[in-house]
Amino acid sequence: VWAIDGGSALHVLRGHAKRVFGVATFVMNDNPRVASCSDDKTIRIWDPVEGTQVFLVALEVVCKALCIVGDARTLALGHEDGSLSYWDILHDPK
């Protein structure tokens, strides 16, 4: 996580065991969040202010891409097997 105004590194978000393929930012309950997907078959939700992981989702297949849907409460996931799925981020993560 980098500071926009000064360009200095604030945090390194560590937790994925393999390559990270996608990152998306959003606001949840008035708090900034970062979602990431990885070759390790997980999606992680991070608090970029504190530099901590706040939620983990284990998947059955690798997620290669993710994005926030226009309603800012749903993640759209693109998987390596060619499937797409949606995840309601307001009802699962804390």
Side-chain angles (χ1 to χ4, degrees):
V1 179
W2 292 82
I4 293 174
D5 56 355
S8 60
L10 301 176
H11 302 289
V12 176
L13 305 177
R14 298 191 191 280
H16 286 293
K18 296 185 177 181
R19 295 176 294 179
V20 173
F21 289 116
V23 175
T25 61
F26 60 100
V27 175
M28 182 171 54
N29 300 326
D30 295 324
N31 297 305
R33 294 291 184 249
V34 174
S36 58
C37 64
S38 168
D39 215 7
D40 65 6
K41 298 184 181 177
T42 65
I43 295 172
R44 296 170 190 262
I45 306 296
W46 308 88
D47 178 335
V49 175
E50 298 295 324
T52 58
Q53 178 183 299
V54 295
F55 197 75
L56 167 70
V57 177
L59 303 171
E60 293 183 19
V61 66
V62 172
C63 176
K64 292 285 194 174
L66 57 78
C67 69
I68 302 297
V69 177
D71 64 7
R73 62 175 281 161
T74 305
L75 273 176
L77 311 173
H79 304 283
E80 73 175 352
D81 66 358
S83 66
L84 297 173
S85 63
Y86 295 93
W87 183 50
D88 185 343
I89 58 178
L90 292 181
H91 287 105
D92 284 330
K94 298 177 170 95

